Amino acid sequence: MKNFFATRWGIIGTGAFIGVLAALLQKLGNPGNMGICVACFERDISGAVGLHRADVVQYMRPEIIGFVFGSLAAALMFKEFRARGGSAPIVRFVLGVFAMIGALVFLGCPWRAMLRLSGGDFNAIGGILGLVSGIWIGTLFFKKGYNLGRTSTSHAGSGFLLPLIMLGFLILMLIFPQVKDQAKSGILFYSVKGPGAGHSPLFLSLAIGILIGFAAQRSRFCTMGAFRDLILFKQTHLFMGVLSLMAAALAANLILGQFKPGFEGQPVAHTQFIWNFAGMAVAGLAFALAGGCPGRQLFMAGEGDGDAAIFVLGMIVGAGFSHNFGLASSPKGIGPYGMAAVIIGLMVCLFIGFFMRKGETQ
Amino acid sequence: MKNIVDARGLSCPQPVLMVMDAFKKIEKGEILVMTDTQASKENVSRAAESKGWTVKSVQEQNQEFHLKLTRS
């Protein structure tokens, strides 16, 4: 059977679908220009379970859970579920940690970078330029033979572990639901102010997450891959999906009255161009070296890819470091140790890029 | 068949890079590409067609895909 989603119209449709739903999620209560942000939402999950205690960013985001469920459903339905792993897991974990640290210096994953621009936040331009630069450095490593090694098929059960962790998170959320104006419910932390307090209704978020996860698994939607394939192969397939996401989100924002152009006073954003650029360059390089943007890593994890699952866990842990160590930015600007984190992140990614190559195994 | 690209267990962009390398080595003829994900199968097919190669056949066995690429 031909996979419609893998066609040009399939990827364009998926991008548009995500763009519109993201704008809608913002209307339904998600934070400004953050209808969907994989990095921010995983950071909120990290806060919800207390891995960091930044009280403005704690919420068990159902969109993330939905992404994994939707991808799992699509993979099972179309017989693409295959438990696999074993391709340099520790490297993927470290890349996940620094991908998150870089993304939180900018304040967003590539999806949010696009959504910020579509909402009129021109600071996102610095982030997008950084993202493309990071990915470009990644393609240089690919040309030199950078490679994390082959995966092997694993026991089916291992492929279900990340989806099961997500199910556990959802169950925790149902057992310990948010209580108005309370920072804690049972064992889960919730924000009473700040971006963590802004969210659309739980089941709507979950349902939209599942729909996006399904479409993205079928279409292989990936924002990092979009730029990577464009630079490496001059292939526009995935890039069309990203353009379509931005165009659709822009149109939806204009209709919903959410388009507010400018640099100053943008929601959950700062105006330090150079650090928007540098943070996202580190993140872009980490995504490229790990083979997928944060969204794509969730969808691959839903297909049973244990290496992608480890990257996801690395990002969640990275969010803990980011906020505990003062690496993450805020609307006031970068955190006290943000600069150091960007430099260390870049060095770690370059180290991985240089040393993980064919012929470097012994 | 002499020209075999074994991209099993590798994720993108490696399979496509390997196929592109193979295209540089031989300008025409037949190449067998082995992958084990649908995504790689689609990416390799797309890349081959963009370079003037034809995906002559795709065989699926034990969750592996064997693509026969030809160019005359």
Side-chain angles (χ1 to χ4, degrees):
Chain A
M1 187 179 60
K2 181 95 179 140
N3 176 7
F4 162 75
F5 284 96
T7 64
R8 174 154 283 223
W9 285 110
I11 192 82
I12 290 174
T14 302
F17 186 63
I18 295 172
V20 169
L21 288 178
L24 199 62
L25 278 169
Q26 184 183 334
K27 192 78 188 168
L28 289 166
N30 280 8
N33 294 341
M34 205 193 282
I36 299 167
C37 170
V38 178
C40 317
F41 286 4
E42 287 173 353
R43 180 265 321 270
D44 292 349
I45 288 178
S46 180
V49 297
L51 293 182
H52 67 72
R53 300 296 307 282
D55 61 2
V56 289
V57 284
Q58 299 171 327
Y59 184 64
M60 188 67 83
R61 294 278 176 188
E63 288 87 351
I64 299 294
I65 298 169
F67 283 179
V68 176
F69 286 178
S71 165
L72 174 70
L76 289 174
M77 201 180 290
F78 293 93
K79 298 192 168 49
E80 282 187 31
F81 181 85
R82 191 166 64 84
R84 53 192 191 269
S87 165
I90 179 68
V91 176
R92 293 175 189 275
F93 184 85
V94 172
L95 287 172
V97 169
F98 284 101
M100 179 62 98
I101 290 174
L104 290 181
V105 168
F106 163 67
L107 290 173
C109 71
W111 290 33
R112 183 169 191 245
M114 313 300 162
L115 292 172
R116 277 172 62 173
L117 190 57
S118 305
D121 176 356
F122 299 136
N123 300 302
I125 294 167
I128 293 171
L129 290 175
L131 176 72
V132 176
S133 308
I135 296 168
W136 173 72
I137 298 171
T139 64
L140 299 181
F141 287 122
F142 284 124
K143 286 182 189 161
K144 294 268 175 214
Y146 167 84
N147 190 335
L148 286 181
R150 293 177 198 259
T151 56
S152 47
T153 303
S154 180
H155 302 287
S158 75
F160 282 106
L161 275 180
L162 193 86
L164 283 171
I165 290 172
M166 291 295 159
L167 179 64
F169 283 169
L170 180 63
I171 292 171
L172 282 181
M173 207 179 178
L174 299 176
I175 298 174
F176 304 116
Q178 186 168 26
V179 183
K180 199 175 174 345
D181 295 329
Q182 273 191 31
K184 207 173 175 195
S185 167
I187 61 169
L188 290 184
F189 295 95
Y190 288 91
S191 295
V192 290
K193 60 179 169 49
H199 56 81
S200 75
L202 193 163
F203 287 104
L204 263 173
S205 291
L206 183 66
I208 290 176
I210 290 173
L211 289 175
I212 291 177
F214 192 95
Q217 192 281 334
R218 299 308 297 146
S219 64
R220 335 294 180 200
F221 182 85
C222 178
T223 53
M224 183 285 297
F227 294 105
R228 178 198 64 200
D229 290 356
L230 196 64
I231 298 168
L232 206 51
F233 307 126
K234 303 196 171 46
Q235 234 188 53
T236 56
H237 178 77
L238 289 172
F239 189 64
M240 298 306 281
V242 168
L243 284 185
S244 156
L245 182 154
M246 282 201 281
L250 174 65
N253 281 331
L254 285 169
I255 293 168
L256 296 170
Q258 295 177 160
F259 182 78
K260 298 187 176 71
F263 286 93
E264 300 291 333
Q266 291 290 343
V268 204
H270 63 78
T271 54
Q272 290 168 285
F273 176 90
I274 191 77
W275 296 106
N276 281 327
F277 177 91
M280 216 43 170
V282 169
L285 177 55
F287 300 143
L289 295 178
C293 74
R296 177 85 184 130
Q297 302 280 357
L298 285 171
F299 309 134
M300 291 196 293
E303 294 170 8
D305 186 334
D307 295 319
I310 286 174
F311 184 90
V312 170
L313 297 176
M315 283 192 73
I316 292 174
V317 171
F321 284 118
S322 275
H323 284 284
N324 289 339
F325 290 178
L327 318 177
S329 300
S330 72
K332 289 183 207 123
I334 59 168
Y337 299 101
M339 282 185 202
V342 165
I343 293 164
I344 293 169
L346 186 63
M347 289 195 309
V348 170
C349 290
L350 290 175
F351 171 84
I352 289 171
F354 276 115
F355 289 102
M356 305 287 153
R357 287 197 302 205
K358 274 181 266 182
E360 300 277 351
T361 47
Q362 259 85 46
Chain B
M1 191 178 335
K2 274 179 291 179
N3 302 303
I4 295 177
V5 172
D6 181 0
R8 289 174 297 179
L10 293 173
S11 51
C12 287
Q14 257 89 36
V16 176
L17 280 170
M18 290 165 80
V19 170
M20 292 289 191
D21 276 348
F23 288 166
K24 275 181 206 152
K25 275 184 210 140
I26 61 160
E27 306 221 319
K28 55 188 178 179
E30 203 167 274
I31 300 176
L32 174 71
V33 184
M34 298 189 276
T35 78
D36 55 4
T37 63
Q38 286 272 4
S40 296
K41 184 194 86 179
E42 290 158 10
N43 289 339
V44 166
S45 306
R46 219 177 277 126
E49 279 158 11
S50 76
K51 293 282 170 192
W53 287 69
T54 310
V55 183
K56 206 171 144 203
S57 65
V58 181
Q59 276 186 323
E60 188 179 348
Q61 52 190 25
N62 303 329
Q63 293 193 315
E64 282 184 14
F65 303 95
H66 292 192
L67 289 84
K68 206 175 272 180
L69 309 180
T70 60
R71 187 178 179 180
S72 49

